[in-house]
Amino acid sequence: MTDNYSALSAVYDRFNGDLDYEGWADYLAGEIRAHADIPVKLVLDLCCGTGTMTLALDRRGYDMTGVDSSPEMLSVAREKAAEAGRGDAILFLCQDMLAFELYGTVQAVVSTLDSVNHMDGKADFLQMLSLVHNYLEPGGLFLFDVNTPYKFRTVYGTNAYVLEDEGVFCAWQNLYDPKARRCEFFTSVFTEDADGRYTRRDDYERETCFTPAEIRNMLEKSGFAVVSMHGRQRARAGHRAPVLHRQAAVTRRITENTRIYDGKHD
């Protein structure tokens, strides 16, 4: 993983203000209640970013730990937790999702907003799953979402976007390689200074496209039972059938006949 979100951290929440985090947290809490084989109190938010989902799940009664590799994103998360009076209740750790360490096990792990797409390939994905499996109690849940191949091809592609808000704008260029199934994101964030001039900061991120069959295979290889995989659909002008932009997965750590990743992949 090479993503750091150092430039985007200061404006991330402003450009994602339309996301329904509360509805999303209700969905996650509902899936946990419906499918966990054990009582769930301790929850890890893997790649927690600025902590919006972490705080939303905290409000629903879970004891939260947030892990993210970006110091800048975690700084925002800690400020938000402190402002909410939860600074001492939520533990935020600056760690990579391929090498994180916790103080003990948890009963559920969530990873939202296509965080797992930042894995550079199957080996990285399997390494991440092995760590989740290690810290997740048997019968506990791993819930995550991924961007679909359709989104990589059409929404990302080689498209460019400009996002604007008061005193800030972000130029965003995508470069999707369909053969490698990898998309690079080149972002430049311009923020207005007190004297009216703008300061530019650049970021580079990338994501890998995984098919549903590949994800299911890696989960089962890593000791997870797939409870459900379903998607968020959007209507597209001129087409009768809706298109799938994001797919959510609910998985459970199995308690026997578990296969652990051994460093090899198909």
Side-chain angles (χ1 to χ4, degrees):
M1 290 180 63
T2 62
D3 313 311
N4 53 35
Y5 285 86
S6 58
L8 286 170
S9 60
V11 299
Y12 185 86
D13 287 341
R14 294 174 69 175
F15 289 135
N16 285 283
D18 61 336
L19 292 177
D20 183 10
Y21 282 101
E22 294 300 320
W24 206 334
D26 285 340
Y27 160 77
L28 292 172
E31 293 296 288
I32 290 172
R33 289 192 301 270
H35 299 297
D37 284 347
I38 56 176
V40 175
K41 184 63 175 177
L42 303 175
V43 177
L44 168 65
D45 187 359
L46 187 59
C47 289
C48 64
T50 62
T52 304
M53 183 61 73
T54 318
L55 283 161
L57 291 173
D58 172 77
R59 289 191 291 272
R60 284 153 180 80
Y62 298 108
D63 290 340
M64 298 300 301
T65 297
V67 166
D68 201 276
S69 62
S70 168
E72 293 85 358
M73 296 286 267
L74 285 178
S75 177
V76 177
R78 292 189 178 104
E79 289 179 7
K80 288 159 65 174
E83 290 173 0
R86 303 297 291 167
D88 294 331
I90 300 175
L91 176 64
F92 288 107
L93 301 173
C94 188
Q95 298 182 354
D96 193 289
M97 68 189 303
L98 293 177
F100 68 89
E101 297 182 1
L102 304 181
Y103 295 105
T105 57
V106 296
Q107 293 95 41
V109 178
V110 302
S111 189
T112 57
L113 285 174
D114 51 88
S115 294
V116 300
N117 282 115
H118 289 280
M119 301 295 92
D120 270 345
K122 291 182 180 179
D124 277 4
F125 203 110
L126 287 164
Q127 170 65 15
M128 177 270 297
L129 288 177
S130 72
L131 288 171
V132 171
H133 188 281
N134 184 53
Y135 288 106
L136 185 60
E137 295 180 15
L141 297 182
F142 178 33
L143 308 96
F144 63 93
D145 62 78
V146 293
N147 285 327
T148 64
Y150 172 85
K151 184 172 183 178
F152 275 90
R153 292 191 308 268
T154 61
V155 178
Y156 288 164
T158 56
N159 295 319
Y161 300 96
V162 174
L163 309 175
E164 296 184 71
D165 199 0
E166 184 176 354
V168 61
F169 72 93
C170 174
W172 187 301
Q173 175 66 59
N174 302 327
L175 184 59
Y176 179 56
D177 181 348
K179 184 172 292 187
R181 289 193 294 164
R182 181 167 294 151
C183 190
E184 297 178 288
F185 308 97
F186 303 89
T187 56
S188 296
V189 178
F190 299 81
T191 53
E192 187 176 12
D193 299 325
D195 60 3
R197 293 184 295 180
Y198 281 79
T199 297
R200 171 178 171 172
R201 298 181 66 193
D202 297 325
D203 264 351
Y204 169 81
E205 291 85 31
R206 64 174 178 253
E207 289 190 1
T208 302
C209 176
F210 300 101
T211 68
E214 289 172 332
I215 294 170
R216 184 179 292 271
N217 178 267
M218 289 187 287
L219 286 164
E220 292 174 349
K221 175 182 290 188
S222 302
F224 291 90
V226 177
V227 177
S228 68
M229 292 185 70
H230 52 273
R232 178 185 177 188
Q233 295 181 326
R234 293 182 180 178
R236 185 168 52 148
H239 292 259
R240 293 181 179 179
V243 294
L244 194 61
H245 283 195
R246 190 186 302 277
Q247 188 166 47
V250 180
T251 68
R252 183 187 301 112
R253 179 184 163 176
I254 59 177
T255 56
E256 58 185 22
N257 299 323
T258 303
R259 298 176 62 193
I260 304 301
Y261 174 51
D262 58 4
K264 301 176 182 179
H265 60 89
D266 297 333

